[in-house]
Amino acid sequence: MGSNPIIFSAFGVDIYASSLVIFLGLVFCLLMTATLYGKKHGTVMPAFMLFSLGFIVAVFLSRVTHWYFNAETYGSFENAMTDFSIGSFVLPVAVAGVWITGWLIGKTRLVPSHGALLDAAAPGLCLLIVFIRISAIFGTTCRGKAIITNSALQFFPWSIAVTDGANNRIYRFASFAIAAILMLLVFVLILLYFRNERSRSKKNGDVWRWFVLAYSMVSVVIDSTRYDSPLMHFRVISYLNQYSAFISLGQVMPGVFSLITLIHFSKRNIRRTGLKWYHVLGWILLVVSFVGIGYFGEYKFQRYANTLQCYSIMTASCFLLLLAEYLEYRRWGRRRR
């Protein structure tokens, strides 16, 4: 695998296999979002609105971000915005684009709650990410830095055969395949959670928040394994590169998502019960998890390449972060008078 065959051409436009897979993911995403929202609210128009506007915003922001940090790939900004056969996108930024779009739609008062709209979009978007990751089988993106030399591990989906510069056949860790499997598991869990939460208030958004958190944890670990992770190479303020050139947006954005979500859960829960010990514990656990992911995980791995130890700490820290979020999310005690 690795080549991206042209399925068909029409009016001078070549349709690649990876593009077809992503298109199918978009169709499933739209149908699922419209179905889940329509069943609960009796209309599908807000779902179509979120899909169309969210697609434009997500593609634009994720492409611009990738162009900014990888300008040498495109040659010019115009080329980056018109030739999608080269370069890539920053997927966490695309998720942020959908989040922003949902929030803006809510501000227009065209929907009762943007949180309910995003809740309905969460399972479909999760499934779309699965398709996006699967599409990488036809390209060369989202491969692991690690070369698998143990013949017992040289099988798909754990590893994938590639050809190096000397035309040798080697096996790299199949980051995209493991990400697709993990996101498929997240899809099942989020869909079950949505079905469990649909009897609650229409003004929620918690399904979306837990989707973002689960996706973030997958992104943190998988992005660390990739040889093509979107590193933060600034141009206008290039002096920052000495601190950021080894840091990936695929890990920074999940950290931002986690902070936003924990702030929301904390504000809501403190209004409900007052400041309690578990609120403080939640924030302490968040800080500890950030240290585990950033320092003992990513930094130590880049410096000493101790794969098993660093990724074990990183994975454990991701679960610790989810525990911190849960402590703030859980509805402890009775509502304060």
Side-chain angles (χ1 to χ4, degrees), residues 28-279:
F28 281 114
C29 176
L30 174 59
L31 292 177
M32 179 160 287
T33 302
T35 300
L36 295 179
Y37 191 83
K39 280 185 176 181
K40 189 172 182 179
H41 301 276
T43 177
V44 297
M45 288 308 299
F48 281 94
M49 187 187 308
L50 176 64
F51 179 85
S52 55
L53 295 179
F55 176 80
I56 295 172
V57 174
V59 169
F60 177 75
L61 291 180
S62 61
R63 186 69 166 183
V64 167
T65 306
H66 193 273
W67 162 79
Y68 179 81
F69 291 111
N70 303 272
E72 67 282 355
T73 303
Y74 303 97
S76 66
F77 177 77
E78 181 182 357
N79 196 34
M81 293 295 106
T82 56
D83 187 359
F84 292 101
S85 64
I86 60 174
S88 186
F89 303 83
V90 183
L91 197 51
V93 175
V95 173
V98 177
W99 199 345
I100 293 170
T101 304
W103 179 79
L104 290 174
I105 291 175
K107 289 297 182 182
T108 64
R109 306 290 184 179
L110 295 175
V111 294
S113 166
H114 76 278
L117 180 59
L118 288 171
D119 280 350
L125 187 56
C126 191
L127 192 59
L128 172 58
I129 294 174
V130 174
F131 276 83
I132 291 174
R133 288 308 179 212
I134 290 175
S135 72
I137 196 172
F138 297 109
T140 59
T141 62
C142 206
R143 267 60 172 172
K145 292 177 284 190
I147 297 176
I148 308 300
T149 56
N150 187 341
S151 59
L153 299 176
Q154 292 176 345
F155 63 90
F156 190 80
W158 185 255
S159 62
I160 188 168
V162 298
T163 304
D164 63 11
N167 207 31
N168 297 315
R169 184 182 178 87
I170 61 175
Y171 287 83
R172 287 191 177 274
F173 178 67
S175 301
F176 69 93
I178 301 302
I181 293 172
L182 292 175
M183 288 306 301
L184 187 60
L185 176 61
V186 172
F187 163 72
V188 173
L189 295 175
I190 291 299
L191 184 59
L192 291 174
Y193 180 43
F194 177 86
R195 294 185 180 279
N196 183 60
E197 288 288 292
R198 62 184 175 181
S199 62
R200 293 184 179 274
S201 169
K202 295 182 179 180
K203 299 180 179 181
N204 199 335
D206 285 350
V207 177
W208 170 265
R209 295 183 185 95
W210 280 108
F211 151 68
V212 170
L213 288 172
Y215 164 69
S216 296
M217 297 306 96
V218 173
S219 177
V220 162
V221 179
I222 293 300
D223 198 84
S224 176
T225 68
R226 297 173 55 179
Y227 72 80
D228 62 340
S229 56
L231 301 179
M232 298 174 63
H233 297 287
F234 290 95
R235 288 181 291 157
V236 176
I237 44 179
S238 57
Y239 74 92
L240 291 176
N241 290 337
Q242 57 184 319
Y243 308 107
S244 66
F246 67 93
I247 301 174
S248 169
L249 273 173
Q251 294 177 310
V252 172
M253 290 299 296
V256 174
F257 293 157
S258 301
L259 279 174
I260 293 174
T261 306
L262 192 65
I263 290 171
H264 174 83
F265 286 160
S266 296
K267 288 172 60 179
R268 185 175 68 186
N269 218 351
I270 290 173
R271 288 196 193 104
R272 179 184 179 88
T273 64
L275 182 63
K276 302 292 184 180
W277 62 269
Y278 43 82
H279 300 306

